[in-house]
């Protein structure tokens, strides 16, 4: 029997024709360094910019200062560009910029933002990263939503070319570590203080988003949150652990108007949230294209043993399993917004494990739009949650504090060269993020 290939090759004697190398399915593989094309997957890194206070407000842990970014910001941005990355999670130092109501110091911010723009880097701009200026008090201040929305509006007016924002980084962690664990800022340890912080932070995020949307109605909000889980190794898990695993959703539930689980709802009302406040949160969700950013480290999962001692449950569930829960809950696009490993020798393998998690979730049809190694430069004292100023260098960066590459930088470059031009979602050319405003607010 005559093969169809005989007929094709008879016409195309040189063997070079459309479909020859791909069996009839022409097109690109997705390899090559990333671009800023609207359909390109969002590969990013971040510059650690936390600035909470400790020791009763006497010490501010400004990571931009401790990691040398103020002096080396141009070099840091150059490293981002040279690695082949187009997106950068970046936070301006709120405590240095926002001096008083209506009063701002843009000196450093203007220099940094101008350099980012010159290099063609797309910032995902953090507006609040674990702290507020001294004059604002802390997260117990009920004026925070208005004060921070004024700041958001000022930033959007000053840098109208910015489209991606994270209004408040890790809302749940900010509230928990400040008002339940007693480590940062107000350093309280009560459920009432925690609920107060959560509602002020979530309300701030909502009000900030509305102010940003008035300046850019096509804005993209990357709501970075901590993807975590506690495994209690008991035949009958305790009510406290069940509650903790439900509380991790609390800030996003309030942000998106998603009714919390019954136990959490009672917890909120028992600890100071009024019915009027609850109804305000449940009325709807804020504007803009919304991405649920999920940060994951091996230490995000904890095992509680029967004797009460704990250990890390690294990859007990893994990022993909935990992120799936968030997607099923909120039905919004997902981004892997932070990961690293404090051991520089383990970091390259950890990078590939996280990427494997991401590809696994995408293969299920979950719209995972981006990936972030956090951070560009090593950090200081994050192994102790910034609780004391010891100067411990956490070797988790793509580069060390001398701006020399760590092994994970080469692995990330390899990943970018292999996958850098995949689309936001499979067949994403049909669904490009455009400059049109978000419109539909219903699921149909």
């Amino acid at each position: 029997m005559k093969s169809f290939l005989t007929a094709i090759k008879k016409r195309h004697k040189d063997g070079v024709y459309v479909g020859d190398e791909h069996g009839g399915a022409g097109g690109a593989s997705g390899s090559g360094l990333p671009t800023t094309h609207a359909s390109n997957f969002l590969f990013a890194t971040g510059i650690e910019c936390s600035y909470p206070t400790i020791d009763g407000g006497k010490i501010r842990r400004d990571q931009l200062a401790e990691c040398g970014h103020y002096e080396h910001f141009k070099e840091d941005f150059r490293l981002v560009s040279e690695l082949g990355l187009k997106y950068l999670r970046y936070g301006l130092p709120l405590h240095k910029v926002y001096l008083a109501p209506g009063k701002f110091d843009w000196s450093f911010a203007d220099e940094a933002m101008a350099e980012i723009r010159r290099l063609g880097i797309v910032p995902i701009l953090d507006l609040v990263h674990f702290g507020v200026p001294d004059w604002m008090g802390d997260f117990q201040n009920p004026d925070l939503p208005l004060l921070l929305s004024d700041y958001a509006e000022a930033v959007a007016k000053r840098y109208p070319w910015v489209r991606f924002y994270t209004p408040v980084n890790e809302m749940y962690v900010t509230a928990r570590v400040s008002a339940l664990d007693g480590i940062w800022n107000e350093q309280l340890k009560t459920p009432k203080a925690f609920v107060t912080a959560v509602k002020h932070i979530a309300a701030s995020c909502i009000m900030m988003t509305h102010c940003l949307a008035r300046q850019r109605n096509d804005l993209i909000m990357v709501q970075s949150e901590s993807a975590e889980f506690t495994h209690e190794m008991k035949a009958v898990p305790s009510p406290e652990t069940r509650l903790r695993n439900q509380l991790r959703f609390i800030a996003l539930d309030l942000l998106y108007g998603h009714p919390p689980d019954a136990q959490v709802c009672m917890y909120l009302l028992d600890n100071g949230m009024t019915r009027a406040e609850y109804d305000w949160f449940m009325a709807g969700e804020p504007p803009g294209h919304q991405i649920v950013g999920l940060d994951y480290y091996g230490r995000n999962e904890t095992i509680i043993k029967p004797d009460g001692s704990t250990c890390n449950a690294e990859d007990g569930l893994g990022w993909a399993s935990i992120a799936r829960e968030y997607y099923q809950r909120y039905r919004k696009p997902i981004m892997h917004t932070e990961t690293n490993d404090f051991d520089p020798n383990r970091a390259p393998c950890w990078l590939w494990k996280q990427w494997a998690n991401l590809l696994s979730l995408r293969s299920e049809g979950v719209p995972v739009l981006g990936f972030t190694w956090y951070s560009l430069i090593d950090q200081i004292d994050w192994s102790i949650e910034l609780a004391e100023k010891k100067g411990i260098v956490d070797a988790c960066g793509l580069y060390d504090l001398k701006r020399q590459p760590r092994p994970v930088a080469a692995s990330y470059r390899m990943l970018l060269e292999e996958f850098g031009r995949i689309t936001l979602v499979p067949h994403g050319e049909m669904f490009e993020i455009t400059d049109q405003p978000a419109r539909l607010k219903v699921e149909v």
Side-chain angles (χ1 to χ4, degrees):
M1 180 182 294
K2 181 180 177 180
S3 169
F4 72 91
L5 289 175
T6 303
I8 290 175
K9 290 180 179 179
K10 184 175 180 181
R11 174 174 293 184
H12 301 284
K13 292 183 174 60
D14 60 0
V16 179
Y17 55 89
V18 175
D20 184 29
E21 64 267 78
H22 297 294
S29 67
S31 294
L33 292 177
T35 72
T36 53
H37 191 274
S39 69
N40 207 119
F41 186 86
L42 309 177
F43 289 98
T45 186
I47 293 177
E48 170 52 26
C49 60
S50 302
Y51 39 78
T53 59
I54 59 171
D55 193 20
K58 298 174 186 175
I59 299 173
R60 184 172 294 279
R61 300 305 308 269
D62 185 342
Q63 289 282 285
L64 291 179
E66 294 180 40
C67 300
H69 179 68
Y70 293 130
E71 296 81 16
H72 301 288
F73 71 91
K74 289 187 177 181
E75 183 178 4
D76 290 348
F77 298 148
R78 176 180 60 79
L79 293 174
V80 173
S81 186
E82 288 180 352
L83 195 59
L85 292 166
K86 297 298 183 183
Y87 290 85
L88 176 68
R89 290 199 61 206
Y90 188 65
L92 301 174
L94 173 66
H95 60 294
K96 289 180 174 287
V97 174
Y98 199 5
L99 304 182
K103 185 178 180 181
F104 306 93
D105 178 357
W106 302 106
S107 53
F108 172 76
D110 281 351
E111 281 193 78
M113 295 299 285
E115 185 66 6
I116 286 174
R117 195 176 190 188
R118 185 186 73 81
L119 291 171
I121 296 169
V122 179
I124 302 172
L125 203 59
D126 275 8
L127 297 181
V128 180
H129 206 112
F130 293 150
V132 293
D134 290 341
W135 63 268
M136 212 177 282
D138 51 45
F139 294 105
Q140 302 299 301
N141 183 356
D143 293 329
L144 281 184
L146 293 177
L147 294 171
L148 291 174
S149 61
D150 289 344
Y151 174 68
E153 187 170 28
V155 170
K157 286 181 177 178
R158 194 159 190 95
Y159 310 113
W161 50 275
V162 175
R163 186 182 184 190
F164 290 79
Y165 286 94
T166 300
V168 183
N169 176 69
E170 291 191 352
M171 294 184 289
Y172 165 67
V173 173
T174 301
R176 174 173 56 78
V177 183
S178 299
L180 199 57
D181 298 345
I183 297 174
W184 301 337
N185 305 307
E186 52 262 49
Q187 294 186 252
L188 298 175
K189 295 183 178 181
T190 67
K192 185 173 183 178
F194 170 68
V195 169
T196 299
V198 164
K199 66 184 184 182
H200 292 168
I201 290 166
S204 295
C205 190
I206 291 169
M207 296 298 290
M208 293 164 81
T209 303
H210 280 280
C211 286
L212 293 168
R214 282 200 296 269
Q215 304 305 314
R216 283 202 68 152
N217 60 10
D218 66 338
L219 65 87
I220 298 172
M221 310 304 291
V222 182
Q223 306 287 0
S224 176
E225 192 57 282
S226 178
E228 53 188 62
F229 191 82
T230 301
H231 306 262
E232 188 170 22
M233 298 295 111
K234 289 185 178 180
V236 180
S238 66
E240 292 78 16
T241 300
R242 287 200 298 269
L243 176 62
R244 186 180 182 93
N245 282 328
Q246 291 174 336
L247 286 177
R248 61 197 166 115
F249 298 115
I250 190 170
L252 289 175
D253 281 355
L254 296 179
L255 175 66
Y256 290 136
H258 185 286
D261 299 317
Q263 186 181 11
V264 173
C265 191
M266 289 188 290
Y267 179 88
L268 289 169
L269 297 175
D270 285 345
N271 288 288
M273 179 172 282
T274 67
R275 182 60 186 263
E277 290 171 337
Y278 178 83
D279 289 344
W280 184 84
F281 283 115
M282 293 300 110
E285 61 181 77
H289 300 287
Q290 297 282 333
I291 297 174
V292 177
L294 296 170
D295 307 343
Y296 181 78
Y297 306 92
R299 54 194 180 274
N300 279 36
E301 289 188 63
T302 302
I303 288 175
I304 301 177
K305 304 173 191 176
D307 65 2
S309 62
T310 63
C311 64
N312 283 349
E314 179 179 299
D315 283 338
L317 292 174
W319 183 84
S321 294
I322 297 176
R324 188 184 298 110
E325 289 184 81
Y326 285 82
Y327 176 69
Q328 291 171 346
R329 192 177 186 93
Y330 303 114
R331 293 293 174 178
K332 297 187 186 302
I334 301 292
M335 180 171 176
H336 197 326
T337 36
E338 285 185 25
T339 196
N340 66 40
D341 194 298
F342 287 158
D343 183 341
N345 296 315
R346 279 173 28 107
C349 186
W350 181 256
L351 170 77
W352 291 109
K353 287 170 69 175
Q354 294 309 297
W355 184 246
N357 268 258
L358 187 150
L359 292 180
S360 173
L361 201 56
R362 274 172 65 100
S363 73
E364 298 175 17
V366 177
V368 185
L369 310 187
F371 175 76
T372 313
W373 184 269
Y374 199 90
S375 52
L376 180 75
I377 305 298
D378 287 350
Q379 302 169 11
I380 306 292
D381 287 338
W382 257 111
S383 53
I384 56 170
E385 265 188 328
L386 307 180
E388 298 179 62
K389 197 162 186 177
K390 292 188 173 182
I392 301 168
V393 176
D394 299 314
C396 58
L398 295 166
Y399 298 85
D400 63 24
L401 295 179
K402 294 181 180 179
R403 277 55 185 176
Q404 295 301 305
R406 291 200 177 278
V408 70
S411 284
Y412 203 5
R413 175 73 179 201
M414 188 189 306
L415 191 157
L416 295 175
E417 290 172 345
E418 184 65 25
F419 294 97
R421 295 185 184 177
I422 63 173
T423 50
L424 281 169
V425 291
H427 313 292
E429 300 96 327
M430 294 188 289
F431 308 104
E432 294 179 2
I433 291 177
T434 71
D435 59 0
Q436 296 301 306
R439 299 181 302 280
L440 292 179
K441 288 297 174 188
V442 296
E443 292 182 14
V444 293

